[in-house]
Amino acid sequence: MKLAVPTDFDILDALSDGKRNNAVNLSHILDKNRAYINTRLPILTDYGLVERIGPAPKSGLYAITAKGQAALTHRDAYENDDDFEARVEATVA
């Protein structure tokens, strides 16, 4: 798992309140370029940290997963842990 620090953790943090959100709102909240947020969300989805949800398959709404919550909990260990993904997986299991 290769995360863009701090942006990916900031996205997880913005979604950690349990509310779903889209790239436009997240880019505003995080004061980041919308196109950049749009590139990061599918990557976070591939890692299982967020999921695309909504009434329609292409609604653009995302929510944090349990794995994403675990990654956020271990944020401080990310840069020094050679197997951060295993740490996150162990937390979720």
Side-chain angles (χ1 to χ4, degrees):
M1 172 182 315
K2 180 130 174 83
L3 301 176
V5 178
T7 303
D8 289 349
F9 285 110
D10 292 344
I11 291 169
L12 294 174
D13 189 46
L15 294 171
S16 68
D17 63 0
K19 295 180 183 171
R20 56 189 180 182
N21 221 325
N22 62 34
V24 174
N25 290 338
L26 290 168
S27 67
H28 177 72
I29 292 165
L30 302 175
D31 195 27
K32 299 276 186 187
N33 180 286
R34 177 180 159 197
Y36 183 56
I37 298 299
N38 272 331
T39 64
R40 297 309 306 164
L41 287 167
I43 293 167
L44 295 174
T45 301
D46 288 345
Y47 290 145
L49 302 177
V50 300
E51 62 183 340
R52 192 174 202 160
I53 59 167
K58 296 188 179 202
S59 66
L61 290 173
Y62 290 85
I64 194 168
T65 63
K67 187 175 177 180
Q69 290 282 6
L72 191 56
T73 299
H74 297 294
R75 176 182 192 161
D76 292 339
Y78 176 72
E79 292 188 31
N80 298 320
D81 191 338
D82 291 337
D83 202 354
F84 182 76
E85 189 166 4
R87 177 190 293 253
V88 170
E89 292 288 346
T91 302
V92 177

